[in-house]
Amino acid sequence: MTINESQKPIQRKIIHLDMDAFYASVEQRDNPDLQGKPVVVGGNPSSRGVVATASYEARVFGIRSAMSCYQAQQLCPQAVFVRPRFEAYRAVSQQIHQIMFHLTDIIEPLSLDEAYLDVSNNCNPKFQQSATLMAKWLQTEIFNQTHLTASAGVSFNKMLAKIASDIHKPNGITIITPEQAPVFIANLPIEHFHGIGKATAKRLHQMNVRNGGDLRNIPIETLIDNFGKRGKFYHDIAHARDNREVKSQRKHKSIGSETTFEKDLTDESMLLTQIYTQNAAAYRALKKKNKQAYTIILKIKYSNFTQITRSHTLHTPFTDEQSAHYWLNKLFADVPKKLPIRLVGVTYSGLSEQTEQQLNQLGLFE
Ligand code: DCP
Ligand code: MG
């Protein structure tokens, strides 16, 4: 994957990914007896437990998340009730995040099974900068690796991507382009907008506002008079405006090292030596934190202070400092060299914890 951060796109490309009937699908995958059956994951129907989620077979009977298990059993006496196994769900969650990192490191998880991805900077030629192709790849790769299905929404902001991912569930992809957005929103019932709760929907209904089109026709002043600050938000969403960024948890998302030269350099072999030195420092820092990385990023800043990054993502993590040399060489070859260079940096991202097994292999527990 190649990212070029200096060329910021005019419009964002956001994918919202959401696993289908997540806990229940994991239970059905891991226990063939449950496949094809109405499965309810949650508490005990004879005590005061609630439904965490239900398989699609159980949803036919009207069973929904947060309903009491007692009620669920009344609706579908043949339903099989199982207790949640959070470890299994966390493991799948980690797996799907690793897959997402192949597309971008700007990932904002909302829960174990749901995340926003900002893929605006993905320049991998395989995807031709098409977020739809990326979403399809994500779905296929998740299915191949986990045997679970996911649905995706693709759009130019978070709000629309999230609404879109729900439209063709399960195993669907829905795209809302900037051209389609006005009509899509005009027809969307207001209770389907995220951020408009039941009470607000009721008040809007009283104002004869039933869908996005009606909402768009209400002057912003009227909305602010009625709903205070939220009024501006309602006005914005009716106009498909949502500038919220995808907030990746950058804290441990990357580890790197960079250096600024006293005098700008042009000599390629000297530059490569400097890149290797930064790589050594970055790799040491990575190991110190017991992390492993799937992505390596080369950063170059030119004498005129413009900067570019080039990156590559592997299917298996980097195993040693030298294994990165090959990729750094390739990435550096790809970088324009018309101007002298004032800074080089190497960053590892797509990080995960080094597992105990891997630590054992390294002899650290012996
Ligand atoms: N969950 C929960 N309690 C809730 C809602 C959800 O414990 N009230 C858990 C169980 C779900 C998981 O979170 O499997 C993901 O929530 P979703 O809302 O994405 O629901 P599902 O993935 O189960 O179904 P869908 O196919 O509608 O996404
Ligand atoms: Mg889900």
Side-chain angles (χ1 to χ4, degrees):
M1 175 175 67
T2 305
I3 301 170
N4 187 339
E5 284 182 353
S6 66
Q7 293 167 359
K8 281 272 178 247
I10 303 155
Q11 200 135 47
R12 290 193 187 120
K13 293 176 188 168
I14 313 277
I15 299 174
H16 177 258
L17 186 107
D18 190 332
M19 301 296 288
D20 300 323
F22 184 47
Y23 295 1
S25 304
V26 175
E27 296 309 323
Q28 289 181 318
R29 176 193 71 174
D30 294 347
N31 180 357
D33 286 349
L34 300 177
Q35 285 164 18
K37 293 197 181 140
V39 174
V40 176
V41 181
N44 191 335
S46 53
S47 69
R48 296 182 343 145
V50 292
V51 174
T53 197
S55 69
Y56 281 83
E57 296 86 349
R59 292 184 194 191
V60 174
F61 295 86
I63 301 176
R64 296 283 179 269
S65 294
M67 176 180 275
S68 78
C69 289
Y70 173 80
Q71 192 187 353
Q73 200 178 36
Q74 301 293 307
L75 288 169
C76 177
Q78 70 274 36
V80 187
F81 285 79
V82 294
R83 287 309 179 98
R85 292 180 303 133
F86 293 106
E87 272 317 304
Y89 314 144
R90 262 195 287 275
V92 173
S93 188
Q94 278 183 4
Q95 250 180 315
I96 65 172
H97 282 112
Q98 285 310 334
I99 300 169
M100 292 175 195
F101 275 125
H102 288 279
L103 292 178
T104 177
D105 60 358
I106 312 179
I107 298 169
E108 180 180 341
L110 297 178
S111 64
L112 287 180
D113 86 321
E114 195 183 334
Y116 289 112
L117 293 82
D118 184 331
V119 294
S120 315
N121 288 327
N122 183 317
C123 298
N124 186 337
K126 171 161 103 175
F127 300 118
Q128 302 156 44
Q129 308 204 351
S130 157
T132 308
L133 289 180
M134 294 179 215
K136 284 190 177 142
W137 175 86
L138 195 59
Q139 245 185 350
T140 309
E141 200 66 19
I142 287 175
F143 186 77
N144 289 344
Q145 289 193 33
T146 67
H147 302 286
L148 297 167
T149 64
S151 297
V154 179
S155 196
F156 55 95
N157 65 36
K158 284 165 84 169
M159 170 191 73
L160 287 171
K162 184 159 166 82
I163 296 172
S165 70
D166 253 353
I167 294 176
H168 289 114
K169 255 185 179 296
N171 203 19
I173 293 188
T174 305
I175 301 123
I176 303 174
T177 64
E179 293 73 33
Q180 294 163 338
V183 174
F184 176 83
I185 287 181
N187 292 320
L188 192 70
I190 46 156
E191 24 327 323
H192 290 200
F193 284 93
H194 293 272
I196 295 190
K198 273 195 188 135
T200 308
K202 207 169 156 192
R203 283 179 63 194
L204 285 168
H205 282 163
Q206 285 160 359
M207 296 162 72
N208 273 331
V209 175
R210 312 235 148 240
N211 55 36
D214 300 336
L215 187 58
R216 195 153 48 197
N217 288 333
I218 308 275
I220 184 165
E221 297 76 22
T222 313
L223 290 172
I224 291 174
D225 280 352
N226 278 276
F227 302 102
K229 260 200 253 160
R230 303 281 301 165
K232 159 126 179 36
F233 170 72
Y234 301 149
H235 186 259
D236 280 345
I237 59 178
H239 289 80
R241 285 185 213 123
D242 173 13
N243 286 327
R244 288 172 304 153
E245 282 179 25
V246 175
K247 288 203 200 85
S248 55
Q249 302 159 326
R250 286 182 185 273
K251 219 168 61 189
H252 294 300
K253 283 285 150 59
S254 66
I255 292 176
S257 173
E258 61 182 42
T259 183
T260 305
F261 311 127
E262 279 178 19
K263 263 187 79 184
D264 299 349
L265 295 180
T266 48
D267 184 288
E268 290 191 21
S269 69
M270 275 170 80
L271 281 160
L272 204 55
T273 308
Q274 293 287 347
I275 290 170
Y276 285 174
T277 307
Q278 295 316 306
N279 176 54
Y283 199 82
R284 261 199 314 276
L286 187 73
K287 291 301 110 182
K288 218 171 146 186
K289 291 208 156 73
N290 283 335
K291 300 273 184 191
Q292 54 182 3
Y294 288 78
T295 300
I296 191 157
I297 304 166
L298 173 66
K299 172 171 155 187
I300 301 284
K301 201 183 262 182
Y302 294 103
S303 53
N304 66 356
F305 286 86
T306 57
Q307 130 183 350
I308 63 165
T309 57
R310 290 282 183 269
S311 75
H312 185 83
T313 300
L314 301 177
H315 283 286
T316 53
F318 286 94
T319 49
D320 57 45
E321 179 193 321
Q322 276 75 24
S323 68
H325 285 181
Y326 171 79
W327 291 108
L328 287 169
N329 240 306
K330 250 178 115 78
L331 295 174
F332 185 55
D334 219 22
V335 158
K337 299 183 187 71
K338 288 198 197 95
L339 286 172
I341 291 171
R342 58 176 279 119
L343 171 153
V344 295
V346 174
T347 299
Y348 286 93
S349 77
L351 305 186
S352 67
E353 298 294 328
Q354 199 153 28
T355 62
E356 209 170 285
Q357 189 191 5
Q358 286 159 336
L359 289 171
N360 273 330
Q361 282 163 6
L362 292 172
L364 296 179
F365 286 171
E366 283 165 16

PDB file of all heavy atoms in Angstrom, residues 12 83 249 278 304 317:
ATOM      1  N   ARG A  12     -13.312  13.251   1.575  1.00  0.00           N
ATOM      2  CA  ARG A  12     -12.913  12.042   2.282  1.00  0.00           C
ATOM      3  C   ARG A  12     -13.587  10.810   1.695  1.00  0.00           C
ATOM      4  O   ARG A  12     -14.675  10.901   1.126  1.00  0.00           O
ATOM      5  CB  ARG A  12     -13.308  12.142   3.747  1.00  0.00           C
ATOM      6  CG  ARG A  12     -12.508  13.140   4.495  1.00  0.00           C
ATOM      7  CD  ARG A  12     -12.749  12.941   6.004  1.00  0.00           C
ATOM      8  NE  ARG A  12     -12.110  14.017   6.728  1.00  0.00           N
ATOM      9  CZ  ARG A  12     -12.763  14.867   7.518  1.00  0.00           C
ATOM     10  NH1 ARG A  12     -14.050  14.744   7.712  1.00  0.00           N
ATOM     11  NH2 ARG A  12     -12.108  15.815   8.132  1.00  0.00           N
ATOM     12  N   ARG A  83     -24.544 -18.364  26.344  1.00  0.00           N
ATOM     13  CA  ARG A  83     -23.857 -17.294  27.068  1.00  0.00           C
ATOM     14  C   ARG A  83     -22.770 -16.684  26.199  1.00  0.00           C
ATOM     15  O   ARG A  83     -22.150 -17.397  25.415  1.00  0.00           O
ATOM     16  CB  ARG A  83     -23.208 -17.876  28.340  1.00  0.00           C
ATOM     17  CG  ARG A  83     -24.214 -18.228  29.417  1.00  0.00           C
ATOM     18  CD  ARG A  83     -25.103 -17.034  29.628  1.00  0.00           C
ATOM     19  NE  ARG A  83     -26.107 -17.290  30.639  1.00  0.00           N
ATOM     20  CZ  ARG A  83     -25.976 -16.895  31.893  1.00  0.00           C
ATOM     21  NH1 ARG A  83     -24.888 -16.304  32.314  1.00  0.00           N
ATOM     22  NH2 ARG A  83     -26.957 -17.114  32.744  1.00  0.00           N
ATOM     23  N   GLN A 249      -6.950   5.704  17.191  1.00  0.00           N
ATOM     24  CA  GLN A 249      -6.283   5.778  18.495  1.00  0.00           C
ATOM     25  C   GLN A 249      -4.800   5.730  18.201  1.00  0.00           C
ATOM     26  O   GLN A 249      -4.185   4.682  18.217  1.00  0.00           O
ATOM     27  CB  GLN A 249      -6.708   4.602  19.368  1.00  0.00           C
ATOM     28  CG  GLN A 249      -8.180   4.563  19.577  1.00  0.00           C
ATOM     29  CD  GLN A 249      -8.625   3.178  19.981  1.00  0.00           C
ATOM     30  OE1 GLN A 249      -8.074   2.152  19.559  1.00  0.00           O
ATOM     31  NE2 GLN A 249      -9.638   3.128  20.806  1.00  0.00           N
ATOM     32  N   GLN A 278      17.684   5.157  10.857  1.00  0.00           N
ATOM     33  CA  GLN A 278      16.379   5.478  11.462  1.00  0.00           C
ATOM     34  C   GLN A 278      15.557   4.198  11.624  1.00  0.00           C
ATOM     35  O   GLN A 278      14.832   4.028  12.605  1.00  0.00           O
ATOM     36  CB  GLN A 278      15.603   6.496  10.615  1.00  0.00           C
ATOM     37  CG  GLN A 278      16.274   7.855  10.528  1.00  0.00           C
ATOM     38  CD  GLN A 278      16.800   8.321  11.874  1.00  0.00           C
ATOM     39  OE1 GLN A 278      16.068   8.365  12.854  1.00  0.00           O
ATOM     40  NE2 GLN A 278      18.094   8.655  11.928  1.00  0.00           N
ATOM     41  N   ASN A 304      12.454  22.343   0.431  1.00  0.00           N
ATOM     42  CA  ASN A 304      11.400  23.378   0.462  1.00  0.00           C
ATOM     43  C   ASN A 304      10.300  23.036   1.479  1.00  0.00           C
ATOM     44  O   ASN A 304       9.209  23.593   1.439  1.00  0.00           O
ATOM     45  CB  ASN A 304      10.801  23.571  -0.930  1.00  0.00           C
ATOM     46  CG  ASN A 304      10.036  22.334  -1.400  1.00  0.00           C
ATOM     47  OD1 ASN A 304      10.031  21.314  -0.710  1.00  0.00           O
ATOM     48  ND2 ASN A 304       9.395  22.422  -2.548  1.00  0.00           N
ATOM     49  N   PRO A 317       3.891 -10.009  10.019  1.00  0.00           N
ATOM     50  CA  PRO A 317       4.650  -8.875  10.555  1.00  0.00           C
ATOM     51  C   PRO A 317       6.146  -8.927  10.208  1.00  0.00           C
ATOM     52  O   PRO A 317       6.673 -10.000   9.919  1.00  0.00           O
ATOM     53  CB  PRO A 317       4.431  -8.989  12.059  1.00  0.00           C
ATOM     54  CG  PRO A 317       3.850 -10.314  12.314  1.00  0.00           C
ATOM     55  CD  PRO A 317       3.271 -10.831  11.057  1.00  0.00           C
TER      56      PRO A 317
END
